[in-house]
Amino acid sequence: MDLSLAQVPVGRVHVIAERCKQCDFCITYCPTDVLIYSEETNAKGYHYPMVAEGKESACVHCRFCDLICPELAIYTTDVADEEDASGESDAG
Amino acid sequence: MDLSLAQVPVGRVHVIAERCKQCDFCITYCPTDVLIYSEETNAKGYHYPMVAEGKESACVHCRFCDLICPELAIYTTDVADEEDASGESDAG
Amino acid sequence: MKRSAAKMSDTKNVSASTTSQVRFGGVGGQGIVLAGRLLGLAAAIFDGKEAVCTQSYGPEARGGASKTDVIISDKPVDYPFVIEADVLAVLFQEAYVKFRPSLKAGGTLIIDTELVTPAEDDKDVIGIPATKIAENLGTRLATNVVILGYVVGKTNVVSRDSMVEAIRTIMKPKIVDLNIKALDAGISLAQSDGVS
Amino acid sequence: MKRSAAKMSDTKNVSASTTSQVRFGGVGGQGIVLAGRLLGLAAAIFDGKEAVCTQSYGPEARGGASKTDVIISDKPVDYPFVIEADVLAVLFQEAYVKFRPSLKAGGTLIIDTELVTPAEDDKDVIGIPATKIAENLGTRLATNVVILGYVVGKTNVVSRDSMVEAIRTIMKPKIVDLNIKALDAGISLAQSDGVS
Amino acid sequence: MPDSAIAAKVQADRKPRVLTGTHFMLGDHACAEGALAAGLDFFGGYPITPSTEIAELLARRLPPLGGRFVQMEDELASMAAIIGASAAGARSFTATSGPGFSLMMENIGLAAMLEIPCVIADVQRASPSTGLPTMVGQSDILQARWGSHGDYGIIAYCPSSPQECFDLTVRAFNAADQYRVPVFVLMDEIIGHMTERVIIPAADDLPFVPRKGPRQAPGGEPFLSYAPDEDMIPPIAHAGEGYRVHMTGLTHDERGYPALDADTHNKLINRLVDKIRLNAPDIVMYEEIAVEDADTIVIAFGCTARSARHAVIQARSEGLKCGLLRLITVWPFPEQRIRELIKRGKVKRFIVPEINLGQLRREVERLTQLPVERLNHAGGAMPVPDAILEMIRS
Amino acid sequence: MPDSAIAAKVQADRKPRVLTGTHFMLGDHACAEGALAAGLDFFGGYPITPSTEIAELLARRLPPLGGRFVQMEDELASMAAIIGASAAGARSFTATSGPGFSLMMENIGLAAMLEIPCVIADVQRASPSTGLPTMVGQSDILQARWGSHGDYGIIAYCPSSPQECFDLTVRAFNAADQYRVPVFVLMDEIIGHMTERVIIPAADDLPFVPRKGPRQAPGGEPFLSYAPDEDMIPPIAHAGEGYRVHMTGLTHDERGYPALDADTHNKLINRLVDKIRLNAPDIVMYEEIAVEDADTIVIAFGCTARSARHAVIQARSEGLKCGLLRLITVWPFPEQRIRELIKRGKVKRFIVPEINLGQLRREVERLTQLPVERLNHAGGAMPVPDAILEMIRS
Amino acid sequence: MTVTEQIIHPAANLHPIDHLLRADRLPHILCPGCGIGTVIHAYAHAIAGSGIDEDKHVCVSGIGCSGRAAGYMNVDSYHSTHGRALPFALGIAVYKPELNVTVISGDGDLTAIGGNHLIHAARRNVNLNVICINNFNYGMTGGQVGPTTPIGAKGTTAPNGAVEHPFNLPYLAKATGAVFVARWTVLHVREFQEAILRSMEKTGFCFIEVLAPCPTSFGRANNIGDGLHEMEIYRERCRIENGASNLEELDIDLIDESKSITVGNFVDIERTPFTP
Amino acid sequence: MTVTEQIIHPAANLHPIDHLLRADRLPHILCPGCGIGTVIHAYAHAIAGSGIDEDKHVCVSGIGCSGRAAGYMNVDSYHSTHGRALPFALGIAVYKPELNVTVISGDGDLTAIGGNHLIHAARRNVNLNVICINNFNYGMTGGQVGPTTPIGAKGTTAPNGAVEHPFNLPYLAKATGAVFVARWTVLHVREFQEAILRSMEKTGFCFIEVLAPCPTSFGRANNIGDGLHEMEIYRERCRIENGASNLEELDIDLIDESKSITVGNFVDIERTPFTP
């Protein structure tokens, strides 16, 4: 599997909690182990991913959590991009 | 194409004239050119094969005319067999 | 229009209409369907009559007796098949056997002498050498048009000119002249009989 | 027999029959279909009553609210679905929202406190820690039987013995004892309320 | 290895062919157990909701009993395969729902034309097209009669309970063999997915009607696969029995050979239809409740008949003169019985509730000018008893 | 190279799309010319007697006109392909006969459910099964109405002449687009294989009814593919037009999204049936001869109507009070007109000759208790006028 | 040893193999020069030579000219629906494994409308002998092109020549799991007969493609002339390569005279047969 | 450079690719751990990355869990009948060649009931992108085995394990004429997405098999546990071999842990596309 990264930016993790079904893919396959499960559950009763304590700067915006997610429930943005004040996300 | 013969017996040609549709296969592919067309036609108006003059002993009972015939209208028997007085034909 | 109500006049003296029932009998590949279509075309389009052409198909593409019926009338033709043939033209022995009963008493029976041998007791059979004539014209493929020409010459059910138009309409240009020759050969043979 | 004509007596005082309508609401994988079948089996086979069990399927194999209805009566059951539930037991929030209206006024509403949060204005809700109880027995998979036990203890719609027989009949031997424990835990919890 | 697999299954599953006893059983499973009890030899099927439970049970139960279970590549293949197996002598069966039933239509016509017995369960769902796959419908009724091109006869049973899923499936196999015809068990999703008491009799108490075999030894005079007896049913010989049969979907003579003429066709097809039409008195089944003096007769089948029964009994208890005619066979349609009821002159109207837009109602309308009131739903829900009761009261 | 091939064809065949003029034309060819004249864009078909001549003509004529001709692998594929092409905006068409028609049934249901217009010619032959492939039948009449699972509405035209093969095929394309429904041209082998005068009008004189398109630009509010106007027909948007439509055979809401509940299903399916049933007055076509004072009315269609016409005119000339109601649409069935004729009180009986075992007769029986006399043949031959005449006289 | 005379038999009677044919139905309906009759003939000889009880042979056909084959075989024989001969035969073969079931049908029946059943029967390795008579078109309906029509060859539905890439049937059969795969022509009647015998010996899915002339439809449309002329094409251009490894290259091009047609027995392997 | 925070979005809103999905229909009906959602997601990204006008993309599906894919794509999308997605799509692609038509459906839909259309669409080289989601069983109906179920794997219609030899889909696609053939798993999501893009670029019949977990049916029946466990099988046993020449050897055996699963882009050739 190719998890190689183009560069090493800092990413911001976005979670759409209500879509999550707790499949574990994003948490398991995050190359930098950024994610853990939330305490709370969403309406369907699933625990959803969140950034682990101490991992706040660990996301490298590799987008694997985004691409692998069957529910379109998570994605990341490049903090640098945001500082270029480009409001719209073009993660796609 | 394999037209080789096991031995060289003498064959007798049997024609079921009313089945013939004059496709030419037996006449064309007889290895010893035994067959020609009849003058007369059958009920459907087809000329059927018959042994050419001078070819009376030419049939080697290779059975190709029989096997290739789409109409089951011709077969040969081994004269020798007949002299063994085995009445029934077992060309099949 | 959703609905067309026929005037009562439509329903008057239908029996007055004159209708010709022509049947061609043969075997797949002899072009009897073409013969029927030529006749129907000549009648329906160039003679301004009503005409219907139908054919029966057997399972065999080759070797089975088949027929083509042409009904020509001065009134719309309803039933599209021959019930009692005024003319029966046959090019194949099996077809002769199969369709002979469909000829009405006193109807015209035409056979190709080379292809059909009528029953001994079969009277008033008109045998013509259509195949030979066609061969003399260059191809036995024109046999169907020779016999068609004979039917036309014998019955005048359509005009010769309409037949020529029909041939020009349906056939490939390069075989038109040949077939007109075949048509005329049939017509003149019929007229030379002096029967019609 | 091609034909069976019912005696008129069949048609007398049907309304006299006593019928219980029990509905289980949950989500695929919680075993509410099994709960319903156990209840129906106990009633129909071991208590000699009439019983029908039906379930609704959604398109989702997982994640959609689903229900199982059990109708138990001393007369043949015709309509096989709950019209007004005497008992509604729910193990899933969506199912609570979807099926709450089907409970008749004064009917018994049972929820798993861990899985369902009732509306503030929802009165007379019986919340039980079925999941917790099942976990204490060794597996939350027995949650369905715990709540089933509670229903049985609460309503006596079938006898405890029949329920045990039903469990023995349907379930794999190695999990029978566990589920009987779960059943009894539910029953005793219900009776300890002293409501029934 | 498949043999060892079968051996393994026999180990794994020692259940007898006939599950004699009292059960709390799913309708689909009761249908499958009925097929087994009837002596099922071959099942060819394809998964489709809501019939899949039938195949799933047979996949477990049939091989250990020596039968053959094949999941085919599609419903066309399923239908062709069960005809082939039956041509070799197997009691054969498939189960499907609307979309698969549509795909089977061409070969249902073949089974009718070849007069090869087979049984097809159609667990009806809300249709047309994909519709509501998990929800109830009763809208394949006319398709079952007319779905394949041309005229032909069939038999169709409509169970109203899991018990009838068992009983009528057994009966379907017997009728298929007795009349050499494809027979349908027209279930609906509610009946198929309903669990209720099912009593299975002892094997010896089950009816068994064998196929009529040749009354001549093989090898002699040619056997005539299509020479009917007085009951209009010809005896049948199977592949491998030595009779050298030929069967064709073409119009054929009594020997089974193609005979491509209108007279042969007319004679053959009329027999295919008449062998069911004229034997209808022996085939038709229905249940009646209180029709004797009824001015209102409800005609219903399948799950709908359950609500109708409840409504009629309720209405009777209110003193209303109504009755129920519950159709157990929808095809042949019990024309004769309905004409009798009309002739009595007591009935003033019919009410026909169905989970379709009025299919069986059309059959009733053919028989009478009395009002035939409709209670239709296109699918997804069955009528509640009160809806029918309201119509009776009105 | 296929493009060059098309170019070559254009060279080879300069005939215009509409063959304006008077022709002596085969019924099958007149049907194909009707499709071309109606603006056919896509044909997907499979060879089957007696419809093959339709495909063969289109294989020559359609590509040079810029249309697409595809010979598919089977009839299931043919039907699916013409629905797909129509979903992209094509006027699409297939032609078949009984066995192929049976195979198309599932996807005919899809076309009805998706409300995607398409035209299917079924040249009926003697059936069931393979039957008599080269001989006439009229026994797909009820299959055309009920052959797919579930309830749905369709339109079916029955030409009685090559001229009507042309006229009604043109009409079929217009009706399909106007009502968003599959439309059948139910020919029979005799009409399909009959050669007769066909007059093709000038292109501008041909009726053309376009599909109702969206009344909104793409990209704005979601387009509702299933929001009907007052005529019960929703506008349609096609693949590639930017409306991002979704269409599913599942029960769906006005947006086209799956909505798996009984109420949505009931509403949708009732509309699918009612949009034809309630628009029937605009759709139904028939021809009448001398019905005004008739005590005997013959009801016939297709080739059978030709013998019926002859018999009725003959009988009238004999002073018998009879008339002919020739059905041009068999579906929707002209119920209203027949009720009117009955209400006049003059008609004493109906005679329904058909080349099947009494399919349309059933529809007449639903409307009256008057005698409905049958003249049926299972297939292979059409009734001679005298047979009908005898019944009129009797 | 006497000299040959010749015997003209009356119509009724009697070719030595007639007992395996429904001789009362001869002459058959097939056209002069059509190769299907030779296939029927070869199958009869194979039955006789198989050493298997004739009553244990079963023949199943689909629809089309080749589909008529079953109707002429004097064994239990079934003429099913278009494309469904294989699942019909599967039902027989699975229920009565003691029977030797041969499916004889055409290229259109088995590979166009019946293609799905072909690949699944091969995948399952159902114990069937399949003789696929390939005449490159639909004969019964009058010469439409099909999935075996060579590119450029004409048919009534491809008046300017077929544009679709045709199936390479031996490759398709191998790729889907057949345990015996051969291609012959009716001219190679001895080898063809041997191949049928081999398929009768083997347990599993055996597939034999046999090329046969269709003078009336395919021949006429493509100026091949009569059946004999198509036979001559086979004679001139067929190359026997038993065990050919490059099955993916065995496409048939009848039009380009420089291209040879590879025939032979290509695959003969063992694989667990289907016994559900 | 700031440190990451995390943003929890409300349900309604809004993944960056949502504009290519019918987001109002999310969450979809598929089970937790099912891989089909990842395929939908990858197809959306491929559309966005294709450089082709979104309005020119069309998605067609058949029936089954995978058949629901079309219903979630915010392009013109059609949910047809079981097995008929390919001929339905052919009608669109042939009539409007300017459209980029992708068929997304399941193994059962495309290779069991739809198998005939698959081999004929490949043979014709119809310009379609086919994404065949292989989860080794029928999920929607509750886990029956099918033509892709590995021998020995269990399903509700094979309680003792499947005995039929399964299809090797890349080999079948190549043997019938596909111009682009690939096999990936949803874990290889980047490579899979690249393969979809390639199929969108190419004119002709492109076939991508993508393995996806079905925890509820296949996983449970075969003790694989949840979707993650099946993903772990892919991670441990998949071997990437682009351009693999030995396609006939690429059968999948999920049960035997010693067997590797070959994935990659196997075929990428040019052949005259179907333009009737």
Side-chain angles (χ1 to χ4, degrees), chain C residues 18-32:
Chain C
T18 67
T19 297
S20 305
Q21 303 183 22
V22 181
R23 169 166 291 177
F24 297 89
V27 62
Q30 288 181 320
I32 62 163

Side-chain angles (χ1 to χ4, degrees), chain A residues 1-5 10-19 21-25 28-29 44 46 48-52 55-59 62-77 79 82-83 89-92, chain H residues 1-19 21 23-24 26-38 40-42 44-45 48-49 186-191 193 213 226-228 231-232 235 240:
Chain A
M1 284 178 33
D2 167 19
L3 296 179
S4 64
L5 313 175
V10 174
R12 189 192 313 276
V13 177
H14 305 252
V15 174
I16 306 170
E18 287 310 318
R19 291 182 181 178
K21 292 178 187 166
Q22 202 178 334
C23 72
D24 231 357
F25 295 173
T28 302
Y29 295 113
K44 279 190 178 292
Y46 296 113
Y48 47 86
M50 55 184 292
V51 173
K55 293 287 191 171
E56 290 76 3
S57 4
C59 173
C62 73
R63 300 189 45 232
F64 197 77
C65 60
D66 174 3
L67 300 180
I68 200 73
C69 177
E71 311 298 332
L72 296 100
I74 187 169
Y75 65 98
T76 60
T77 46
V79 173
E82 297 176 8
E83 284 166 350
S89 64
D90 59 355
Chain H
M1 168 176 131
T2 62
V3 294
T4 315
E5 326 125 22
Q6 123 178 36
I7 299 168
I8 305 291
H9 288 265
N13 195 357
L14 254 193
H15 187 288
I17 203 71
D18 270 4
H19 63 289
L21 286 116
D24 50 335
L26 298 178
H28 52 60
I29 67 163
L30 302 161
C31 302
C34 167
I36 296 168
T38 305
I40 291 169
H41 191 165
H45 279 296
V186 290
L187 183 65
H188 302 79
V189 61
R190 293 181 198 274
E191 296 88 341
Q193 211 171 291
D226 61 17
L228 182 65
M231 292 289 256
E232 283 298 284
R235 194 175 59 74
I240 296 179

Side-chain angles (χ1 to χ4, degrees), chain E residues 9 46 52 56 71 73-74, chain H residues 82 138 144-145 156-157 160:
Chain E
K9 289 173 199 165
Y46 188 83
T52 309
E56 288 174 334
Q71 184 176 312
E73 54 271 26
D74 61 23
Chain H
H82 195 27
Y138 291 86
Q144 298 75 33
V145 294
T156 60
T157 47
N160 300 83

